[in-house]
Each structure stands twice: as C-alpha cells, then as structure tokens.
Amino acid sequence: MKPIQVVLFLALFVSAAAAQTPRGLFPGSDDIGHTKPGASAYDAATKSYRVTGGGADMWFAADDFHLTWVKLSGDVTLTADVAFTPQPAQPLAKAVLIVRQSLDPKSAYADVAIHADGHITLQWREKSGDPTKDLTAPEHKSTTLRLERKGDVFTAYARKPDGSLDPFASYTVPMTGDVYVGLGVCPHDANGLATAAFSNVKIDQPKH
C-alpha cells in the first residue's frame, strides 16, 4: 500500500471509530456500585441518549446504577425529556438527572428522579455515607425534568400540564470542586436492567 493510501486508510479508520463513540455532552460512562453491566449510547442524529443500568437501588447509604457523566464545576442546570424504553417491571425503577461529588457509591449527590410508576422526587445524600432522603413532586408522570445547582442549593423541576417547569423542591447539599453531572438509570432490581431515553438534553452554565 502506498504511503498516501496508508494515511487515507488511517484517517478513514479514525473517523469511523470516532463516529461510533457514544459521547455527546457526556464523555464518561460508568457502573456505580454493584450492578449488572450497563451502557450508554449517544444518537447524534436525534441528539438523544439511551442509558441502560443495573442495580438494586439508589437509596440508603450507597447507590447501584449506571451513570453517563461530564465533570463540571460551579452552577449548572441540567434539563431533559425522559422516557423508559420499555416500561420496567419494577415500579420503583428510576431514571435520573444527577449531580454527584464523586463516582463512589456512597457519594454526596442530588438528583431529580422519575420512577417507573410515574412519581417524581428530589433525592439527595448530604454527606458521603449518609442515608438518602427525598421530597415528592405534585406532578405525576411528567416527562420533562430539570435539576438546577446554585451554589450548594439544588432545585428539582417537573413540567406541569400547562407546559411550564415547576420548581417543586430544593435542598442544600455541600459539594466542592469538580462534580459529576449526568444521566442515570437504576432498575430497582439487583439482577435486572432498565433502559431510559433522554432527549432534548441541555446543560446550561452561567457565563463569567
């Protein structure tokens, strides 16, 4: 093979490999805690994310789920439309928009979670290893969620029937430095998997 052909072949190979890498806004993808292997994929044509996760729960003092993430610092707002595909067998399966201090299962975090039965919560763990707590939204089966961080205050939103995004709960969770901002799925089944599609995903940060 001539040198020019070699260069062209390598360029095409690298381009094809890059096109098949599921990245989008979130360069990282990890199983957190004890789970069956999960995965995340980005569809560049629709700018949507398909996240499959295993794990018994995101609750108590540690979490088991799959997370696709980007490391950021400072104030941030994450918004997405969320739908399970297909509907999970467990009513407490969760699809979340989340901010975590670290990838440790016991990490401090805040998320807005929609469960397979339709109820929506702001969940948080204030310090590493603390029990998880939550507040429930009045909206049910809303498909558009938002999680906003301002300083250490996290506010969860769910879309109302009139189309507006309603801030239904806030809580203070101290975090420092870089944090993990992303999309997560937990089937609420240690031996199972669940999948959710996240579309119209936006990450907004204030300009400095």
Short mmCIF file of all heavy atoms in Angstrom, two decimals, residues 121-159:
data_model
loop_
_atom_site.label_atom_id
_atom_site.label_comp_id
_atom_site.label_asym_id
_atom_site.label_seq_id
_atom_site.Cartn_x
_atom_site.Cartn_y
_atom_site.Cartn_z
N THR A 121 -39.29 12.69 42.26
CA THR A 121 -38.74 13.13 43.54
C THR A 121 -37.43 13.91 43.34
O THR A 121 -36.71 13.70 42.37
CB THR A 121 -38.43 11.95 44.47
OG1 THR A 121 -37.53 11.05 43.82
CG2 THR A 121 -39.68 11.22 44.88
N LEU A 122 -37.18 14.82 44.27
CA LEU A 122 -35.83 15.32 44.51
C LEU A 122 -35.22 14.39 45.54
O LEU A 122 -35.77 14.22 46.64
CB LEU A 122 -35.85 16.75 45.05
CG LEU A 122 -34.49 17.30 45.52
CD1 LEU A 122 -33.53 17.46 44.36
CD2 LEU A 122 -34.67 18.63 46.25
N GLN A 123 -34.09 13.75 45.20
CA GLN A 123 -33.38 12.87 46.13
C GLN A 123 -32.03 13.50 46.45
O GLN A 123 -31.45 14.17 45.60
CB GLN A 123 -33.13 11.50 45.50
CG GLN A 123 -34.37 10.73 45.12
CD GLN A 123 -34.04 9.33 44.64
OE1 GLN A 123 -34.81 8.39 44.84
NE2 GLN A 123 -32.89 9.16 43.99
N TRP A 124 -31.52 13.23 47.64
CA TRP A 124 -30.18 13.73 47.97
C TRP A 124 -29.56 12.90 49.08
O TRP A 124 -30.23 12.25 49.88
CB TRP A 124 -30.26 15.20 48.40
CG TRP A 124 -30.94 15.43 49.72
CD1 TRP A 124 -30.38 15.42 50.97
CD2 TRP A 124 -32.34 15.68 49.93
NE1 TRP A 124 -31.32 15.65 51.93
CE2 TRP A 124 -32.54 15.82 51.33
CE3 TRP A 124 -33.44 15.80 49.08
CZ2 TRP A 124 -33.78 16.07 51.87
CZ3 TRP A 124 -34.69 16.05 49.64
CH2 TRP A 124 -34.85 16.19 51.00
N ARG A 125 -28.23 12.92 49.07
CA ARG A 125 -27.42 12.41 50.18
C ARG A 125 -26.49 13.55 50.56
O ARG A 125 -25.64 13.96 49.78
CB ARG A 125 -26.62 11.17 49.75
CG ARG A 125 -25.75 10.58 50.88
CD ARG A 125 -24.99 9.33 50.45
NE ARG A 125 -25.91 8.26 50.11
CZ ARG A 125 -25.99 7.71 48.90
NH1 ARG A 125 -25.23 8.15 47.91
NH2 ARG A 125 -26.85 6.73 48.66
N GLU A 126 -26.67 14.05 51.77
CA GLU A 126 -25.99 15.29 52.15
C GLU A 126 -24.49 15.11 52.32
O GLU A 126 -23.71 16.01 51.97
CB GLU A 126 -26.61 15.85 53.44
CG GLU A 126 -26.23 17.27 53.73
CD GLU A 126 -27.09 17.87 54.84
OE1 GLU A 126 -28.15 17.29 55.18
OE2 GLU A 126 -26.70 18.93 55.36
N LYS A 127 -24.06 13.98 52.87
CA LYS A 127 -22.65 13.68 53.05
C LYS A 127 -22.40 12.23 52.67
O LYS A 127 -23.31 11.40 52.69
CB LYS A 127 -22.22 13.92 54.50
CG LYS A 127 -22.30 15.36 54.96
CD LYS A 127 -21.78 15.53 56.37
CE LYS A 127 -22.69 14.84 57.38
NZ LYS A 127 -22.26 15.07 58.77
N SER A 128 -21.14 11.92 52.36
CA SER A 128 -20.78 10.56 51.99
C SER A 128 -21.23 9.56 53.06
O SER A 128 -20.93 9.73 54.24
CB SER A 128 -19.26 10.45 51.80
OG SER A 128 -18.89 9.14 51.49
N GLY A 129 -21.98 8.54 52.63
CA GLY A 129 -22.44 7.51 53.54
C GLY A 129 -23.69 7.82 54.31
O GLY A 129 -24.21 6.97 55.04
N ASP A 130 -24.21 9.05 54.18
CA ASP A 130 -25.46 9.41 54.84
C ASP A 130 -26.64 8.67 54.20
O ASP A 130 -26.56 8.25 53.04
CB ASP A 130 -25.73 10.91 54.74
CG ASP A 130 -25.07 11.70 55.86
OD1 ASP A 130 -24.31 11.10 56.64
OD2 ASP A 130 -25.31 12.93 55.93
N PRO A 131 -27.77 8.55 54.89
CA PRO A 131 -28.95 7.98 54.26
C PRO A 131 -29.51 8.94 53.22
O PRO A 131 -29.43 10.16 53.37
CB PRO A 131 -29.93 7.80 55.42
CG PRO A 131 -29.49 8.79 56.45
CD PRO A 131 -27.99 8.86 56.33
N THR A 132 -30.08 8.39 52.17
CA THR A 132 -30.74 9.20 51.15
C THR A 132 -32.09 9.69 51.67
O THR A 132 -32.78 8.98 52.38
CB THR A 132 -30.95 8.39 49.87
OG1 THR A 132 -29.66 8.09 49.30
CG2 THR A 132 -31.78 9.13 48.84
N LYS A 133 -32.43 10.91 51.30
CA LYS A 133 -33.74 11.48 51.63
C LYS A 133 -34.38 11.99 50.35
O LYS A 133 -33.71 12.16 49.33
CB LYS A 133 -33.58 12.61 52.66
CG LYS A 133 -32.98 12.14 53.98
CD LYS A 133 -32.78 13.30 54.95
CE LYS A 133 -32.14 12.83 56.24
NZ LYS A 133 -31.89 13.96 57.18
N ASP A 134 -35.69 12.26 50.40
CA ASP A 134 -36.35 12.75 49.19
C ASP A 134 -37.58 13.59 49.50
O ASP A 134 -38.10 13.58 50.62
CB ASP A 134 -36.70 11.60 48.25
CG ASP A 134 -37.81 10.69 48.79
OD1 ASP A 134 -38.24 10.88 49.93
OD2 ASP A 134 -38.23 9.79 48.05
N LEU A 135 -38.01 14.34 48.50
CA LEU A 135 -39.26 15.09 48.51
C LEU A 135 -39.97 14.80 47.20
O LEU A 135 -39.34 14.75 46.14
CB LEU A 135 -38.99 16.59 48.65
CG LEU A 135 -38.43 17.06 50.01
CD1 LEU A 135 -37.94 18.49 49.91
CD2 LEU A 135 -39.50 16.94 51.09
N THR A 136 -41.30 14.63 47.26
CA THR A 136 -42.06 14.19 46.10
C THR A 136 -42.78 15.36 45.44
O THR A 136 -43.34 16.23 46.12
CB THR A 136 -43.09 13.13 46.51
OG1 THR A 136 -42.40 12.02 47.09
CG2 THR A 136 -43.88 12.63 45.30
N ALA A 137 -42.77 15.36 44.11
CA ALA A 137 -43.42 16.41 43.32
C ALA A 137 -44.92 16.19 43.26
O ALA A 137 -45.39 15.04 43.28
CB ALA A 137 -42.86 16.41 41.90
N PRO A 138 -45.71 17.26 43.15
CA PRO A 138 -47.15 17.09 42.93
C PRO A 138 -47.46 16.56 41.53
O PRO A 138 -48.48 15.92 41.32
CB PRO A 138 -47.71 18.50 43.13
CG PRO A 138 -46.56 19.42 42.89
CD PRO A 138 -45.34 18.67 43.33
N GLU A 139 -46.56 16.86 40.57
CA GLU A 139 -46.75 16.36 39.21
C GLU A 139 -46.51 14.85 39.17
O GLU A 139 -45.65 14.33 39.89
CB GLU A 139 -45.83 17.06 38.21
CG GLU A 139 -46.19 18.50 37.91
CD GLU A 139 -45.82 19.44 39.03
OE1 GLU A 139 -44.92 19.11 39.83
OE2 GLU A 139 -46.45 20.51 39.12
N HIS A 140 -47.25 14.17 38.31
CA HIS A 140 -47.12 12.71 38.17
C HIS A 140 -46.97 12.38 36.70
O HIS A 140 -47.70 12.90 35.85
CB HIS A 140 -48.37 12.03 38.75
CG HIS A 140 -48.23 10.56 38.94
ND1 HIS A 140 -47.47 10.00 39.95
CD2 HIS A 140 -48.73 9.52 38.24
CE1 HIS A 140 -47.53 8.69 39.88
NE2 HIS A 140 -48.28 8.36 38.83
N LYS A 141 -45.99 11.55 36.40
CA LYS A 141 -45.71 11.12 35.02
C LYS A 141 -45.31 12.26 34.10
O LYS A 141 -45.45 12.18 32.88
CB LYS A 141 -46.91 10.37 34.43
CG LYS A 141 -47.21 9.05 35.13
CD LYS A 141 -48.30 8.27 34.45
CE LYS A 141 -48.52 6.94 35.13
NZ LYS A 141 -49.60 6.15 34.49
N SER A 142 -44.78 13.36 34.66
CA SER A 142 -44.20 14.41 33.83
C SER A 142 -42.99 13.83 33.11
O SER A 142 -42.21 13.08 33.70
CB SER A 142 -43.78 15.60 34.68
OG SER A 142 -43.05 16.53 33.92
N THR A 143 -42.82 14.18 31.84
CA THR A 143 -41.70 13.61 31.09
C THR A 143 -40.54 14.58 30.92
O THR A 143 -39.50 14.22 30.38
CB THR A 143 -42.15 13.13 29.70
OG1 THR A 143 -42.76 14.23 29.01
CG2 THR A 143 -43.15 11.98 29.82
N THR A 144 -40.70 15.83 31.37
CA THR A 144 -39.61 16.80 31.29
C THR A 144 -39.17 17.17 32.69
O THR A 144 -39.98 17.61 33.51
CB THR A 144 -40.05 18.08 30.55
OG1 THR A 144 -40.52 17.73 29.24
CG2 THR A 144 -38.87 19.04 30.40
N LEU A 145 -37.88 16.98 32.95
CA LEU A 145 -37.31 17.21 34.27
C LEU A 145 -36.15 18.19 34.17
O LEU A 145 -35.52 18.33 33.13
CB LEU A 145 -36.81 15.90 34.88
CG LEU A 145 -37.80 14.75 34.98
CD1 LEU A 145 -37.10 13.53 35.57
CD2 LEU A 145 -39.00 15.14 35.82
N ARG A 146 -35.88 18.84 35.29
CA ARG A 146 -34.73 19.75 35.37
C ARG A 146 -34.13 19.67 36.77
O ARG A 146 -34.86 19.60 37.77
CB ARG A 146 -35.14 21.18 35.06
CG ARG A 146 -34.04 22.23 35.30
CD ARG A 146 -34.50 23.62 34.88
NE ARG A 146 -34.62 23.69 33.43
CZ ARG A 146 -35.21 24.70 32.78
NH1 ARG A 146 -35.75 25.70 33.48
NH2 ARG A 146 -35.25 24.71 31.47
N LEU A 147 -32.80 19.71 36.84
CA LEU A 147 -32.08 19.82 38.10
C LEU A 147 -31.17 21.03 38.00
O LEU A 147 -30.36 21.14 37.07
CB LEU A 147 -31.25 18.57 38.38
CG LEU A 147 -30.50 18.56 39.71
CD1 LEU A 147 -31.47 18.53 40.89
CD2 LEU A 147 -29.54 17.37 39.80
N GLU A 148 -31.30 21.93 38.98
CA GLU A 148 -30.55 23.18 38.97
C GLU A 148 -29.67 23.26 40.22
O GLU A 148 -30.14 23.01 41.34
CB GLU A 148 -31.53 24.35 38.95
CG GLU A 148 -30.89 25.72 39.01
CD GLU A 148 -31.95 26.80 39.10
OE1 GLU A 148 -32.51 26.99 40.22
OE2 GLU A 148 -32.24 27.42 38.08
N ARG A 149 -28.40 23.60 40.01
CA ARG A 149 -27.50 23.84 41.13
C ARG A 149 -27.10 25.31 41.15
O ARG A 149 -26.58 25.83 40.17
CB ARG A 149 -26.23 22.99 41.01
CG ARG A 149 -25.25 23.23 42.16
CD ARG A 149 -23.87 22.66 41.88
NE ARG A 149 -23.00 22.76 43.05
CZ ARG A 149 -21.70 22.55 43.05
NH1 ARG A 149 -21.09 22.20 41.91
NH2 ARG A 149 -21.00 22.66 44.16
N LYS A 150 -27.36 25.98 42.29
CA LYS A 150 -26.87 27.33 42.53
C LYS A 150 -26.14 27.32 43.85
O LYS A 150 -26.77 27.19 44.91
CB LYS A 150 -28.03 28.34 42.55
CG LYS A 150 -28.63 28.61 41.18
CD LYS A 150 -29.67 29.73 41.23
CE LYS A 150 -30.18 30.06 39.84
NZ LYS A 150 -31.19 31.15 39.89
N GLY A 151 -24.82 27.44 43.79
CA GLY A 151 -24.03 27.25 45.00
C GLY A 151 -24.20 25.82 45.46
O GLY A 151 -23.93 24.88 44.72
N ASP A 152 -24.64 25.64 46.69
CA ASP A 152 -24.91 24.30 47.21
C ASP A 152 -26.40 23.98 47.27
O ASP A 152 -26.79 22.97 47.85
CB ASP A 152 -24.30 24.14 48.62
CG ASP A 152 -22.78 24.10 48.59
OD1 ASP A 152 -22.23 23.65 47.56
OD2 ASP A 152 -22.17 24.53 49.58
N VAL A 153 -27.22 24.83 46.68
CA VAL A 153 -28.67 24.61 46.70
C VAL A 153 -29.10 23.94 45.39
O VAL A 153 -28.83 24.45 44.29
CB VAL A 153 -29.44 25.92 46.89
CG1 VAL A 153 -30.95 25.67 46.86
CG2 VAL A 153 -29.05 26.58 48.21
N PHE A 154 -29.75 22.80 45.52
CA PHE A 154 -30.24 22.04 44.37
C PHE A 154 -31.76 22.12 44.32
O PHE A 154 -32.44 21.87 45.31
CB PHE A 154 -29.80 20.58 44.48
CG PHE A 154 -28.32 20.40 44.29
CD1 PHE A 154 -27.45 20.55 45.36
CD2 PHE A 154 -27.80 20.09 43.05
CE1 PHE A 154 -26.08 20.40 45.20
CE2 PHE A 154 -26.43 19.94 42.87
CZ PHE A 154 -25.57 20.09 43.95
N THR A 155 -32.27 22.47 43.14
CA THR A 155 -33.71 22.60 42.95
C THR A 155 -34.16 21.67 41.83
O THR A 155 -33.54 21.62 40.77
CB THR A 155 -34.09 24.05 42.60
OG1 THR A 155 -33.63 24.91 43.65
CG2 THR A 155 -35.59 24.19 42.45
N ALA A 156 -35.23 20.93 42.10
CA ALA A 156 -35.78 19.99 41.12
C ALA A 156 -37.04 20.58 40.51
O ALA A 156 -37.87 21.18 41.20
CB ALA A 156 -36.09 18.66 41.78
N TYR A 157 -37.20 20.36 39.19
CA TYR A 157 -38.35 20.85 38.44
C TYR A 157 -39.00 19.69 37.69
O TYR A 157 -38.32 18.75 37.27
CB TYR A 157 -37.93 21.86 37.37
CG TYR A 157 -37.30 23.14 37.85
CD1 TYR A 157 -36.03 23.17 38.40
CD2 TYR A 157 -37.98 24.36 37.71
CE1 TYR A 157 -35.44 24.36 38.80
CE2 TYR A 157 -37.40 25.56 38.10
CZ TYR A 157 -36.13 25.56 38.65
OH TYR A 157 -35.55 26.74 39.04
N ALA A 158 -40.32 19.79 37.49
CA ALA A 158 -41.05 18.87 36.63
C ALA A 158 -42.06 19.68 35.82
O ALA A 158 -42.65 20.63 36.33
CB ALA A 158 -41.76 17.80 37.44
N ARG A 159 -42.24 19.29 34.55
CA ARG A 159 -43.15 20.04 33.70
C ARG A 159 -44.61 19.81 34.11
O ARG A 159 -45.05 18.68 34.29
CB ARG A 159 -42.96 19.66 32.23
CG ARG A 159 -43.74 20.58 31.29
CD ARG A 159 -43.47 20.28 29.83
NE ARG A 159 -42.09 20.46 29.44
CZ ARG A 159 -41.51 21.63 29.20
NH1 ARG A 159 -42.22 22.76 29.35
NH2 ARG A 159 -40.26 21.70 28.83
#
